[in-house]
Amino acid sequence: MTIQGNNSSLQCKVCGSDTVTLDDSQHKITYSVCNHCEFIYKDIQYHISPEQEHTEYKKHNNSFESLGYVKMFERFIDEHIKPLNINGVGLEYGSGPGPVLKELLSREGITMFDYDPFFNPNTDYKTRKYELITSTEVAEHFTNPIEEFEHIASLLKKDGYLAIMTSFHYNNPDTFLKWWYRRDFTHIAFYTPKTFEIIAEKCNLKIVKHNDKNVIIFQK
Ligand SMILES: [Zn+2]
């Protein structure tokens, strides 16, 4: 569907098309909505600073002590990673304060590295290429999605896989304005499978599959 709104002067951060403004009167903020690729981006004046972002992430209970968090990753691995039969080196991109997924994937026999701009900013990860890159609950924080995806794609070996977890929006303004996912004020970028088609095209990736909800697998 097409989302109605006033034309915005901002171009879509993914495809460059014109956008319309979506007004979130509850939170008193606005988003730029692209009706071409369906990308929704929180307008930049409402982004928080990297320092505030870091403080927020430290509050998250992302460790092995959080049973729900571990279970979510076990399901993710069983459903989406094991079928790829990865044999080689992996990178967990944006691993957060406790690199749980990295550890779980290591137990599956994948040699794992991790990078996080706040919690593990060592850039040695750039010196390798990977058979698998996972990035879970990260893409919704991207200020420049195309730049980020191009960077990640450049780190993949040929035929390597990129597994992204981020909640997809339903391309409906009423649903969006009630959606819990937008309430986390560190979330600024919202995608649909159509957005990812454009991203795949721009980054020379193929979409292998997605679950219509929150996981998409690309291949180089
Ligand atoms: Zn767009």
Side-chain angles (χ1 to χ4, degrees):
M1 68 180 288
T2 300
I3 293 183
Q4 304 291 336
N6 293 324
N7 287 340
S8 147
S9 57
L10 303 165
Q11 256 72 52
C12 172
K13 286 270 189 182
V14 168
C15 74
S17 300
D18 291 339
T19 61
V20 295
T21 300
L22 182 64
D23 210 342
D24 185 340
S25 52
Q26 191 193 356
H27 294 164
K28 299 194 171 49
I29 60 174
T30 54
Y31 299 89
S32 293
V33 177
C34 177
N35 281 318
H36 176 62
C37 76
E38 301 179 351
F39 182 58
I40 299 184
Y41 188 69
K42 186 188 277 183
D43 288 335
I44 202 145
Q45 62 269 39
Y46 305 109
H47 295 191
I48 58 172
S49 70
E51 293 74 29
Q52 285 170 298
E53 226 183 321
H54 192 182
T55 310
E56 253 337 276
Y57 299 148
K58 279 192 279 195
K59 293 184 202 158
H60 289 187
N61 185 17
N62 297 349
S63 71
F64 272 97
E65 273 125 69
S66 168
L67 215 56
Y69 190 68
V70 175
K71 281 240 165 314
M72 172 187 82
F73 281 140
E74 283 172 347
R75 268 200 310 273
F76 171 71
I77 291 173
D78 285 346
E79 279 174 37
H80 302 288
I81 305 298
K82 280 186 186 167
L84 304 175
N85 287 317
I86 303 292
N87 187 3
V89 182
L91 172 69
E92 166 53 344
Y93 187 86
S95 46
V100 172
L101 182 57
K102 175 194 173 192
E103 174 57 32
L104 293 173
L105 287 169
S106 301
R107 291 179 195 172
E108 296 298 321
I110 304 171
T111 306
M112 287 299 297
F113 296 88
D114 66 310
Y115 166 73
D116 188 280
F118 296 109
F119 299 99
N120 180 18
N122 187 330
T123 54
D124 279 358
Y125 75 95
K126 291 183 185 175
T127 60
R128 289 175 216 97
K129 302 268 187 211
Y130 303 89
E131 267 89 15
L132 171 70
I133 300 178
T134 53
S135 194
T136 60
E137 299 299 315
V138 173
E140 64 276 13
H141 305 282
F142 285 164
T143 313
N144 290 302
I146 291 298
E147 244 170 60
E148 292 278 2
F149 275 96
E150 277 175 347
H151 172 58
I152 297 173
S154 76
L155 299 165
L156 281 173
K157 284 189 187 165
K158 191 181 175 304
D159 300 326
Y161 292 100
L162 166 63
I164 295 284
M165 187 195 282
T166 183
S167 288
F168 307 167
H169 74 81
Y170 300 101
N171 199 34
N172 176 309
D174 299 328
T175 317
F176 184 83
L177 292 173
K178 290 185 196 121
W179 195 27
W180 66 274
Y181 206 62
R182 88 188 199 296
R183 275 185 220 128
D184 182 324
F185 56 87
T186 64
H187 292 179
I188 57 174
F190 306 93
Y191 311 77
T192 68
K194 194 167 175 193
T195 322
F196 286 121
E197 278 172 31
I198 307 279
I199 290 173
E201 236 169 73
K202 291 202 170 218
C203 301
N204 291 316
L205 298 170
K206 301 181 286 254
I207 293 175
V208 178
K209 63 167 191 172
H210 67 78
N211 66 356
D212 241 334
K213 187 179 162 217
N214 67 340
V215 176
I216 185 156
I217 312 287
F218 301 87
Q219 188 177 25
K220 188 162 177 174

